[in-house]
């Protein structure tokens, strides 16, 4: 059974930086696409960023472009999100997700890690 575990969230002031990480277990092959989503209080879950297994073609939500960077260690099926110049509106629970093959969907999820940005 594939399991994803996030770590690295926390509290930071506006303009600061946080790096969150996601490690996986229960799978021996390379995950096709890994991504980050977030859910802010009272809002729907939204896409943040994703990256495919050769670490090319990273995609970002417009709201985080130029501030967030997604990276991965494909050999370890780990994914990271470096968040810079954080804003209060970035406050959310951040979830790691996995799409195992190109024809699937994001159907494996972690439990989430809280990131809180104060003004």
């Amino acid at each position: 059974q594939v399991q994803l575990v996030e770590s690295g969230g926390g509290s930071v002031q506006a303009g600061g930086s946080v790096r969150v990480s996601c490690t996986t277990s229960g799978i021996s092959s390379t995950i096709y696409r890994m991504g980050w989503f977030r859910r802010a209080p009272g809002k729907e879950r939204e896409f943040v960023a994703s990256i495919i297994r050769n670490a090319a073609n990273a995609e970002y939500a417009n709201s985080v472009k130029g501030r967030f960077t997604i990276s991965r260690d494909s050999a370890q099926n780990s994914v990271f999100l470096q968040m810079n110049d954080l804003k209060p509106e970035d406050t959310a629970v951040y979830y790691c997700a996995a799409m195992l093959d190109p024809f699937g969907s994001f159907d494996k999820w972690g439990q989430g890690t809280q990131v809180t940005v104060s003004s």
Side-chain angles (χ1 to χ4, degrees):
Q1 183 177 356
V2 179
Q3 292 187 321
L4 286 69
V5 178
E6 302 94 338
S7 61
S11 298
V12 64
Q13 290 190 326
S17 298
V18 169
R19 176 180 166 94
V20 290
S21 303
C22 173
T23 58
T24 62
S25 61
I27 184 168
S28 58
S29 58
T30 301
I31 294 172
Y32 172 70
R33 183 181 292 272
M34 300 191 74
W36 290 96
F37 292 73
R38 67 186 181 186
R39 187 192 302 271
K43 295 187 177 182
E44 297 291 318
R45 185 173 62 195
E46 65 175 358
F47 169 79
V48 175
S50 72
I51 188 168
I52 62 174
R53 58 190 165 204
N54 64 0
N57 297 330
E59 298 178 345
Y60 297 93
N62 288 335
S63 59
V64 306
K65 280 182 181 177
R67 300 188 298 121
F68 291 12
T69 302
I70 188 171
S71 60
R72 69 178 290 178
D73 179 341
S74 293
Q76 300 295 325
N77 278 331
S78 298
V79 65
F80 313 95
L81 187 67
Q82 177 67 43
M83 300 182 282
N84 298 330
D85 189 22
L86 283 160
K87 304 175 181 181
E89 52 264 41
D90 294 317
T91 294
V93 178
Y94 284 74
Y95 297 91
C96 174
M99 180 188 299
L100 301 186
D101 63 72
F103 308 104
S105 61
F106 282 112
D107 60 356
K108 306 297 182 186
W109 296 86
Q111 82 289 348
T113 186
Q114 177 71 46
V115 174
T116 302
V117 185
S118 58
S119 57

